[in-house]
Amino acid sequence: MRKDASQPKMAGTSEKGLAVMDANSLRTFLLGCLMTVMTLGAAHGQTAARPPVGGFGSPTDAMIFYVAHGAEGSCGPGCADWIAAEGAVQWDTYKRLIAILDRQGGRKLPLVIHTWGESNLNVAVSLGRILHDRGFDTTEGTTEVAACKDKSDTDCFALKRPGGPLEAALNTREASCDIACVLILAGGVNRTLPSGTRMILTGMAIHNRLAPNVSEEHRESLTVIFGEQFRVYLREMGVNTELLDMVDRNSAKQRATELSPSEWTRLHIVTSTRP
């Protein structure tokens, strides 16, 4: 049977590698095109592109994960250790999340999310499912590694890449959470946001990593398919699917919407807020 030309091959992903993913996590990942979030001017502060974290074909700025250690209470009551997740969610990000979780020896360290740039929303949902299936908590913040002080971005990246642990502080003063962040956050058993977080929802667009020219008809069909997949995911996580209605309107009007803390609670995006 001839495969649809719009379906990208998963380069660098072996059948053995896919087998380690939770079955639920594959439901959205294995759909044909790649859904990416368009920041529409709401980009994060990261400016310099980082080197590729993976092998051949791995994109720059792809999300990395590492264990950080800070003062008692850094990541919540009685919490001094966390997993930092920072960068753009790309097609191969799920492999690095599974690897860091497998190395924790059963410890349930909270995942602290810091996203930037355009992200693959299918994979963001997969990350959320992996976290939920394994019983991890989620929050948002910027991890500031002590050893990175006075070092270049490249040298700092080299320190983080092995996965830690690294002495660090958690900065929540300028926390921000885009739609990719929200989708990952939704997978947490307990999900919190610092009270001063700016949650800015943009739109989403169909993009094929290997074939950028997707017909309008196919684009509209896939938008409906992916939208329903995301709604199923949110319902399973206990999040109000009105969230996706907002994203759809933003996509149509090329705009962004900022949600207040009261909206986070009303839509069940968070289970609690913290100072």
Side-chain angles (χ1 to χ4, degrees):
M1 181 175 68
R2 181 181 178 274
K3 292 184 178 180
D4 193 311
S6 71
Q7 293 184 339
K9 298 176 182 177
M10 289 175 287
T13 307
S14 66
E15 291 182 3
K16 181 179 179 182
L18 286 174
V20 301
M21 291 188 70
D22 302 274
N24 285 339
S25 305
L26 283 168
R27 273 186 272 176
T28 50
F29 181 78
L30 292 178
L31 287 171
C33 279
L34 304 181
M35 186 80 83
T36 59
V37 61
M38 308 304 294
T39 57
L40 301 179
H44 293 258
Q46 185 78 8
T47 54
R50 299 184 314 196
V53 65
F56 177 77
S58 179
T60 58
D61 276 347
M63 181 170 278
I64 60 171
F65 301 90
Y66 58 93
V67 174
H69 173 78
E72 188 71 17
S74 294
C75 44
C79 179
D81 298 275
W82 65 95
I83 298 172
E86 58 183 39
V89 180
Q90 302 285 4
W91 62 271
D92 59 349
T93 299
Y94 75 93
K95 295 187 289 186
R96 288 186 291 278
L97 176 61
I98 290 172
I100 195 77
L101 297 185
D102 284 349
R103 292 203 298 268
Q104 299 316 305
R107 291 194 304 167
K108 302 289 186 180
L109 303 182
L111 187 86
V112 179
I113 307 160
H114 180 51
T115 58
W116 63 74
E118 294 184 1
S119 287
N120 183 316
L121 299 188
N122 293 347
V123 179
V125 167
S126 294
L127 302 183
R129 287 196 182 280
I130 291 167
L131 293 166
H132 187 268
D133 291 347
R134 297 194 180 202
F136 281 79
D137 296 341
T138 52
T139 186
E140 207 283 342
T142 304
T143 300
E144 298 177 343
V145 174
C148 285
K149 187 178 180 181
D150 300 325
K151 285 187 170 56
S152 68
D153 290 340
T154 300
D155 290 342
C156 182
F157 178 74
L159 285 172
K160 296 174 180 178
R161 185 172 176 175
L166 297 169
E167 292 293 324
L170 191 55
N171 181 358
T172 60
R173 294 186 302 275
E174 299 177 354
S176 58
C177 196
D178 59 15
I179 182 59
C181 165
V182 170
L183 291 174
I184 300 170
L185 183 81
V189 175
N190 297 295
R191 40 190 190 265
T192 63
L193 285 176
S195 57
T197 302
R198 296 191 66 192
M199 183 180 291
I200 301 176
L201 303 180
T202 56
M204 55 190 179
I206 296 292
H207 172 69
N208 186 316
R209 183 166 56 88
L210 301 182
N213 296 322
V214 181
S215 72
E216 189 60 33
E217 182 180 3
H218 199 181
R219 191 183 304 275
E220 290 177 3
S221 174
L222 288 170
T223 298
V224 172
I225 293 171
F226 288 130
E228 182 52 34
Q229 289 288 327
F230 295 161
R231 282 174 170 79
V232 168
Y233 166 71
L234 291 177
R235 283 193 291 269
E236 291 178 356
M237 299 301 114
V239 178
N240 192 319
T241 57
E242 183 184 337
L243 174 72
L244 261 296
D245 296 333
M246 296 177 183
V247 173
D248 287 343
R249 289 194 293 270
N250 289 342
S251 300
K253 297 184 178 181
Q254 295 289 292
R255 69 181 185 187
T257 302
E258 184 166 358
L259 299 186
S260 66
S262 63
E263 289 289 276
W264 312 342
T265 303
R266 183 181 70 82
L267 297 171
H268 305 293
I269 296 169
V270 298
T271 56
S272 64
T273 57
R274 58 188 178 89

